[in-house]
């Protein structure tokens, strides 16, 4: 490890422009139909902490809080916005965030468009949602490298969740999946696993997930997860970059990934529809009634357009279904049989239980069943963090380390989780460790409270220390991640760090949180190196920490 102390340098903030480029690139990659997600004629894109896109122009506006999977429909929305001389502002959040926002008294949107009705129904505690209708249908499926699917005997046959579990227990299958407590695709897949493993039950009950036999099988199945994510679209992008053999995701995102894989000369994924635990995202678009009749009329016009036969056909071309009974003849070529896709399949999803049961299932997943997390936080305690920066950092750590706070966002630690803190300035201050015990996690928080920001910035040595700490653990038993938060710029010893990281061969993802005058280019280098991502915490540092925590 380098012993020298590095001096902090401050430069002008270039992060906003680079972050915009990153988000535009991500939206283009994440489209379900592979056609890109540009705003269309007359559209413009703005980037904020809520990841908003404004489509069209005009004095009238429709504001929609949407799941990120709807980015691919921006060209369809732009056509309507341009024709009707209005703006459609799409703000993208995860399904659970949408659920929580919908329950707030002050709701800053005209409509809500989550991946599944379960989040709309659970969040509409004030009973304001009306005119809700499904715009598209997306089954949550397994995509497995075709040669591996053939080796497992999955090609050309009906596959059950138990068949998948057998492959995992035999050490033949590993996969990536979004977090069940942060993303609809992960939650839907997890509930499908419970439905299948619980046996003969029409609807999951609390006692089903509390059975020891079911929990043992779920824990074994979830142990097959190699990488996790808080976003379905980002999981797809990560998979395309390489490193995994299978992923659980929306059918449309598997189609999109396969198009890119084949264009790059790589092996495509073969789609598996688990017949005993198939879940469906029904993509409901609903109006949030806050007493504005003109807004309601604008919404109804947009919804009517999206449900019209011609537009429904356009939506099918993106890889989405619009009915449970199959695909229109003119769009069947999108659903290639050689990829295992079944355009004529009649979808028979299981019935979701009541929210109280779902909530119990999610809590058990987070606290008992998921693969344990091994998380190293490299936290900037340089002098520039004095004042507001340190206050925001402590608020973020309060939400993650104080377990009654973390539980509100399904981010609580399990008993087997390991959390390591590496506070740094121009050198590593110290290293602090904890298991998932609530009192021990609080002790970490108390330790941070006693630290005072001072000195320069050396994030590379802190990250080296974090990676060294991880060598003390069997990484195959954890979902590992290194999370670095900085508000400045380290002297550029990236080349040396890159060399040491590649020699290590652990492939640990390095997520970073940008704050203050942090050099976004340095952070993006780390994301590219480790197939991870950068989170912008300049407007909401607490929210950025909550989001990044959902990625392992």
């Amino acid at each position: 490890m380098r012993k020298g102390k590095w001096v902090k340098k401050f430069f002008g903030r270039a992060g906003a422009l680079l972050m915009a480029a990153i988000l535009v690139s991500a939206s283009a990659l994440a489209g379900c139909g592979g056609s890109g997600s540009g705003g269309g004629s007359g559209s413009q894109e703005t980037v904020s902490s809520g990841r908003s896109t404004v489509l069209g122009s005009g004095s009238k506006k429709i504001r929609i809080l949407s799941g990120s999977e709807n980015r691919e429909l921006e060209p369809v929305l732009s056509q309507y916005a341009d024709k009707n001389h209005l703006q459609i502002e799409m703000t993208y959040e995860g399904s659970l965030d949408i659920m929580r926002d919908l329950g707030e008294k002050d709701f800053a949107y005209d409509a809500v468009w989550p991946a599944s009705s379960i989040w709309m129904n659970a969040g509409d505690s004030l009973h304001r949602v009306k005119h809700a209708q499904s715009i598209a249908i997306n089954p949550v499926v397994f995509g497995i490298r075709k040669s591996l699917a053939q080796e497992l005997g999955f090609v050309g046959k009906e596959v059950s969740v138990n068949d998948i579990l057998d492959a995992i227990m035999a050490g033949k299958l590993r996969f990536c999946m979004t977090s069940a407590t942060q993303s609809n695709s992960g939650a839907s897949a997890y509930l499908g696993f419970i439905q299948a493993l619980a046996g003969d039950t029409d609807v999951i009950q609390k006692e089903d997930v509390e059975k020891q036999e079911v929990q043992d099988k779920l824990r074994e199945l979830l142990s097959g997860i190699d990488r996790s994510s808080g976003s379905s679209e980002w999981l797809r992008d990560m998979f395309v970059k390489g490193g995994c053999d299978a992923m659980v995701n929306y059918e449309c995102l598997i189609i999109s990934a396969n198009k890119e894989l084949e264009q790059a000369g790589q092996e495509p994924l073969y789609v598996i529809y688990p017949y005993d635990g198939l879940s469906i995202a029904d993509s409901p678009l609903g109006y949030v009634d806050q007493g504005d009749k003109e807004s309601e009329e604008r919404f109804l016009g947009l919804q009517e357009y999206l449900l019209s036969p011609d537009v429904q056909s356009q939506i099918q071309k993106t890889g989405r279904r619009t009915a449970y009974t199959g695909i229109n003849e003119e769009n069947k070529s999108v659903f290639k049989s050689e990829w295992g896709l079944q355009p004529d399949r009649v979808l028979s999803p299981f019935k979701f239980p009541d929210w109280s049961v779902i909530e119990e299932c999610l809590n058990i997943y987070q606290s008992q069943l998921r693969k344990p997390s091994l998380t190293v936080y490299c936290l900037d305690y340089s002098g520039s963090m004095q004042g507001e920066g340190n206050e925001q950092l402590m608020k973020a750590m309060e939400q993650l380390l104080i377990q009654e706070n973390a539980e509100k966002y399904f981010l609580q630690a399990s008993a087997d989780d390991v959390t390591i803190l590496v506070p740094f300035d121009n050198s590593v201050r110290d290293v602090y460790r904890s298991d998932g015990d609530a009192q021990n996690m609080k002790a970490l928080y108390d330790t941070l409270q006693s630290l005072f920001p001072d000195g320069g910035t050396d994030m590379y040595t802190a990250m080296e220390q974090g990676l060294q700490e991880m060598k003390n653990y069997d990484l195959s038993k954890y979902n590992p991640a290194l999370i670095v938060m900085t508000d400045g710029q380290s002297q550029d010893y990236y080349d040396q760090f890159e060399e040491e990281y590649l020699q290590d061969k652990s492939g640990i993802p390095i997520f970073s949180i940008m704050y203050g005058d942090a050099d976004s280019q340095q952070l993006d280098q780390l994301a590219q190196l480790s197939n991870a991502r950068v989170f912008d915490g300049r407007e909401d540092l607490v929210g950025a920490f909550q989001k990044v925590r959902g990625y392992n």
Side-chain angles (χ1 to χ4, degrees):
M1 179 179 294
R2 292 181 294 275
K3 300 295 184 181
K5 295 184 177 180
W6 300 341
V7 179
K8 185 173 190 177
K9 293 183 179 179
F10 293 98
F11 292 90
R13 182 179 297 178
L17 290 176
L18 182 64
M19 199 63 189
I22 293 169
L23 290 176
V24 172
S25 173
S27 68
L29 285 172
C32 290
S35 61
S37 60
S41 174
S43 69
Q44 60 182 2
E45 179 160 319
T46 59
V47 178
S48 71
S49 60
R51 300 183 68 184
S52 296
T53 303
V54 178
L55 308 168
S57 60
S59 59
K60 304 296 185 180
K61 180 182 287 188
I62 300 175
R63 301 162 300 170
I64 302 176
L65 183 60
S66 169
S68 61
E69 65 282 345
N70 289 324
R71 279 188 180 275
E72 218 296 308
L73 298 182
E74 286 181 5
V76 175
L77 296 167
S78 286
Q79 293 172 18
Y80 184 82
D82 292 340
K83 182 178 179 180
N84 291 275
H85 308 291
L86 57 79
Q87 296 181 41
I88 300 176
E89 182 179 300
M90 300 290 289
T91 299
Y92 299 104
E93 286 190 356
S95 293
L96 277 83
D97 289 329
I98 291 174
M99 176 191 73
R100 283 186 281 263
D101 289 348
L102 186 57
E104 296 294 330
K105 181 178 180 181
D106 296 324
F107 188 72
Y109 308 93
D110 304 304
V112 62
W113 196 357
S116 174
S117 294
I118 59 176
W119 314 113
M120 180 185 288
N121 295 338
D124 189 26
S125 57
L126 300 177
H127 308 292
R128 294 178 294 189
V129 177
K130 58 194 295 190
H131 309 306
Q133 293 198 56
S134 173
I135 303 300
I137 294 167
N138 252 318
V140 178
V141 299
F142 267 83
I144 304 174
R145 298 275 185 193
K146 191 167 184 179
S147 60
L148 178 57
Q150 289 172 328
E151 179 186 333
L152 295 172
F154 290 170
V155 173
K157 68 167 280 190
E158 289 289 287
V159 178
S160 69
V161 170
N162 275 294
D163 291 331
I164 294 168
L165 175 59
D166 289 343
I168 293 169
M169 293 179 67
K172 296 180 179 179
L173 178 63
R174 316 287 291 178
F175 63 98
C176 54
M177 187 178 93
T178 61
S179 168
T181 57
Q182 303 303 313
S183 172
N184 177 71
S185 64
S188 297
Y190 167 64
L191 293 171
F193 299 159
I194 297 173
Q195 177 73 34
L197 298 175
D200 187 17
T201 179
D202 292 332
V203 182
I204 300 169
Q205 304 296 327
K206 287 184 179 180
E207 51 265 30
D208 292 323
V209 75
E210 291 170 351
K211 293 176 182 176
Q212 190 62 50
E213 179 184 2
V214 173
Q215 289 194 8
D216 289 344
K217 289 183 177 180
L218 286 169
R219 193 175 289 108
E220 190 72 43
L221 197 158
L222 296 171
S223 73
I225 297 175
D226 269 340
R227 286 288 300 268
S228 185
S229 165
S231 162
S232 301
E233 64 169 347
W234 187 84
L235 184 78
R236 172 237 179 262
D237 294 346
M238 182 203 73
F239 186 92
V240 169
K241 291 177 183 177
C244 295
D245 286 328
M247 72 168 162
V248 174
N249 216 324
Y250 299 118
E251 180 184 52
C252 69
L253 287 175
I254 302 291
I255 292 172
S256 174
N258 275 354
K259 289 182 177 180
E260 280 207 38
L261 290 169
E262 287 204 337
Q263 287 172 1
Q266 299 181 39
E267 183 181 16
L269 295 169
Y270 188 86
V271 172
I272 303 296
Y273 304 84
Y275 66 80
D276 53 351
L278 183 66
S279 57
I280 300 292
D282 61 345
S283 189
L285 174 62
Y287 177 69
V288 182
D289 190 359
Q290 300 183 77
D292 185 341
K293 290 298 182 183
E294 288 187 12
S295 175
E296 184 174 359
E297 289 302 315
R298 287 194 294 272
F299 168 86
L300 290 172
L302 173 62
Q303 188 182 67
E304 182 181 8
Y305 162 78
L306 290 172
L307 292 172
S308 65
D310 286 347
V311 176
Q312 287 280 285
S313 181
Q314 289 184 53
I315 289 173
Q316 282 189 4
K317 286 181 171 64
T318 70
R320 290 168 168 79
R321 298 172 185 254
T322 57
Y324 289 88
T325 53
I327 302 299
N328 297 348
E329 193 64 37
E330 70 268 18
N331 295 321
K332 286 186 178 180
S333 61
V334 175
F335 296 76
K336 295 184 178 181
S337 59
E338 60 265 35
W339 294 346
L341 294 157
Q342 301 177 22
D344 294 323
R345 186 185 185 101
V346 176
L347 300 177
S348 300
F350 68 91
K351 182 180 178 181
F352 284 117
D354 293 337
W355 170 246
S356 62
V357 177
I358 294 174
E359 187 174 30
E360 178 69 11
C361 291
L362 296 180
N363 275 315
I364 290 175
Y365 167 90
Q366 184 67 23
S367 61
Q368 300 179 42
L369 301 180
R370 64 181 169 84
K371 193 173 184 179
S373 297
L374 171 58
T375 311
V376 174
Y377 293 94
C378 297
L379 303 176
D380 192 340
Y381 269 78
S382 61
S384 61
M385 285 292 292
Q386 292 182 26
E388 182 180 358
N390 186 245
E391 291 173 5
Q392 291 297 310
L393 175 60
M394 291 310 302
K395 287 180 181 178
M397 290 294 101
E398 183 179 21
Q399 297 304 310
L400 298 181
L401 299 179
I402 307 299
Q403 293 304 283
E404 54 262 39
N405 295 332
E407 189 173 359
K408 297 174 184 176
Y409 298 91
F410 296 110
L411 293 174
Q412 67 268 34
S414 73
D416 295 324
D417 280 357
V418 177
T419 301
I420 301 173
L421 305 183
V422 184
F424 67 91
D425 43 44
N426 55 301
S427 63
V428 172
R429 292 277 190 98
D430 209 333
V431 178
Y432 308 97
R433 306 170 189 82
S434 175
D435 56 20
D437 178 77
Q439 290 301 315
N440 293 338
M441 295 286 280
K442 184 179 183 301
L444 285 184
Y445 175 76
D446 293 340
T447 297
L448 288 181
Q449 279 192 311
S450 69
L451 301 181
F452 184 76
D454 192 22
T457 303
D458 179 354
M459 69 177 182
Y460 293 108
T461 294
M463 288 187 293
E464 285 181 347
Q465 181 67 48
L467 294 175
Q468 189 65 33
E469 293 293 326
M470 289 185 168
K471 290 182 180 180
N472 297 319
Y473 300 87
D474 180 357
L475 297 183
S476 68
K477 296 181 180 179
Y478 296 90
N479 273 327
L482 190 150
I483 299 169
V484 58
M485 189 286 293
T486 182
D487 79 331
Q489 182 184 51
S490 286
Q491 288 189 5
D492 195 357
Y493 289 98
Y494 171 78
D495 290 343
Q496 186 174 342
F497 177 80
E498 177 186 44
E499 180 180 352
E500 294 172 4
Y501 178 87
L502 294 175
Q503 287 177 352
D504 181 67
K505 296 182 179 181
S506 63
I508 293 169
I510 302 173
F511 298 98
S512 54
I513 299 175
M514 178 169 54
Y515 188 71
D517 290 315
D519 186 337
S520 57
Q521 188 170 5
Q522 285 186 329
L523 301 183
D524 191 47
Q525 281 181 316
L526 297 172
Q528 293 295 326
L529 173 66
S530 63
N531 204 359
R533 69 176 296 183
V534 179
F535 293 81
D536 192 342
R538 290 172 298 182
E539 293 186 16
D540 182 8
L541 187 60
V542 176
F545 268 99
Q546 289 172 340
K547 284 182 171 61
V548 73
R549 182 63 182 87
Y551 278 66
N552 79 321

